[in-house]
Amino acid sequence: MNGKTAFVLLSGVLSGSLCACVQPPDAATPTAPTPPPVAAPAPAPAPVAEPTPGNRRVSIQGATCERLLELSSDDRAAASLFYIGYQAARFGSRTINVGAIPKAEEWAENYCAEHPGQPAVEAFRQAYRQTFRR
């Protein structure tokens, strides 16, 4: 071998071995492999609303305060709006103060809590008179 070629090869081998031994600090510690992406859990199915019975009849005059208070908050709110409208029609009102509806609902619910055996229509009759007919 030629001396010049041997020197170039020897220097290349030495520099390669030095580079393999001395690594920069950030590359000295091997990085942990990136974990595979975890699939997001499937979203829970939306609750299915139970269908309203088609031919279920409720007595407007006969529904009790006790039964009104047993309803869910959404159903109680719907019943309250019905009874307030019913009373407005019975009193011959042509307008209603929408801002007073929560007060009338509260008044009727308090009445029902004190008189669970009374008809709900009576609670809303009195609530309507107290709240809207002033």
Side-chain angles (χ1 to χ4, degrees):
M1 245 189 177
N2 185 339
K4 196 176 197 183
T5 307
F7 175 76
V8 172
L9 286 174
L10 184 58
S11 66
V13 169
L14 287 175
S15 70
S17 64
L18 286 175
C19 288
C21 293
V22 180
Q23 296 178 354
D26 60 341
T29 56
T31 59
T34 307
V38 178
V48 177
E50 297 207 14
T52 305
N55 290 323
R56 182 167 181 242
R57 298 189 185 269
V58 177
S59 171
I60 294 170
Q61 297 284 330
T64 64
C65 280
E66 180 179 25
R67 182 63 186 122
L68 178 75
L69 295 176
E70 291 173 352
L71 296 175
S72 70
S73 61
D74 286 344
D75 289 344
R76 192 168 49 246
S80 295
L81 287 178
F82 168 79
Y83 277 113
I84 289 170
Y86 178 78
Q87 293 302 331
R90 290 192 67 214
F91 281 105
S93 301
R94 294 191 175 264
T95 62
I96 193 166
N97 179 359
V98 177
I101 290 174
K103 180 80 172 160
E105 289 176 327
E106 179 184 356
W107 203 99
E109 285 183 20
N110 289 337
Y111 177 90
C112 282
E114 293 174 11
H115 306 95
Q118 292 295 315
V121 72
E122 176 62 19
F124 283 96
R125 184 183 71 77
Q126 291 191 28
Y128 191 88
R129 289 180 65 204
Q130 293 294 321
T131 310
F132 297 106
R133 302 286 296 194
R134 290 185 170 199

